[in-house]
Amino acid sequence: MKDTKVPSLSGRPIRNAVLALAFIGGLLWSADLFALTKRPSDSNPISFRDARAQAQEFIRENERITLTPEQQKVMNKALSSTPAPCCAQYSVATCCCPCNLAKSVWGLSKVLIQKHRASESEVRRAVTEWLAFINPGESAGNACFTGGCARPFHKDGCGGMDAKRLI
């Protein structure tokens, strides 16, 4: 039988590769640790990381998902007590119009209810977190009446009216 050499873990190429992977892993871990993302809370299984991309995703889900009558009741109850940030005299459940901000909230709610079986309070809490994430400043509650339909979320706006053209 022939002797075969088995590569040693103490060899330089392998050791260097392991050290490089450990270094890269450490960088990724620390970048994630200090990333400017809203981590999921106990009641919100979705982490908020990119307002624009996730708003587009939630808007698509709003169009795609049809809730059962029971699920729709959960959504309506969860959203009816939260004023719409763009038109505060309406709740975010109805808003004054189907702007991109409202559609993103509705889509997020539908995802939470249908895919994660979220309760009314869990949906309400996640929507509150989402609204704070997309507009960290204080909402004036009158964007729809002050030209805010054409402003991005982070500038106290509605993000536009066309789902295919998020501002």
Side-chain angles (χ1 to χ4, degrees):
M1 192 168 213
K2 219 178 199 185
D3 281 336
T4 58
K5 273 195 161 181
V6 176
S8 167
L9 290 179
S10 64
R12 285 189 156 210
I14 292 174
R15 189 188 75 209
N16 290 344
V18 168
L19 289 173
L21 287 173
F23 177 74
I24 291 169
L27 286 176
L28 292 173
W29 179 81
S30 65
D32 186 51
L33 183 64
F34 297 107
L36 297 175
T37 61
K38 174 66 177 113
R39 301 219 184 263
S41 66
D42 291 339
S43 62
N44 180 10
I46 300 174
S47 63
F48 301 134
R49 61 194 181 288
D50 183 330
R52 182 177 188 78
Q54 287 182 290
Q56 289 171 328
E57 175 187 340
F58 296 149
I59 290 168
R60 278 192 303 274
E61 293 293 346
N62 179 55
E63 294 169 357
R64 189 188 69 72
I65 295 174
T66 302
L67 298 177
T68 66
E70 296 79 28
Q71 291 172 328
Q72 189 65 48
K73 285 179 188 176
V74 171
M75 182 172 144
N76 291 343
K77 284 182 180 181
L79 302 182
S80 63
S81 63
T82 303
C86 49
C87 50
Q89 67 264 37
Y90 296 92
S91 75
V92 77
T94 60
C95 203
C96 67
C97 60
C99 63
N100 285 334
L101 185 141
K103 289 184 273 192
S104 75
V105 167
W106 300 336
L108 168 61
S109 300
K110 288 179 177 181
V111 167
L112 289 167
I113 292 166
Q114 189 180 76
K115 294 183 180 179
H116 300 282
R117 301 187 195 298
S119 68
E120 173 188 334
S121 63
E122 291 169 331
V123 171
R124 186 179 307 110
R125 193 170 304 119
V127 165
T128 301
E129 291 175 12
W130 170 245
L131 293 173
F133 178 75
I134 63 175
N135 182 13
E138 190 69 26
S139 172
N142 65 354
C144 292
F145 311 108
T146 60
C149 296
R151 288 193 307 258
F153 302 142
H154 69 279
K155 292 189 177 177
D156 197 22
C158 299
M161 302 300 294
D162 182 357
K164 292 178 177 69
R165 194 173 160 275
L166 183 64
I167 296 172

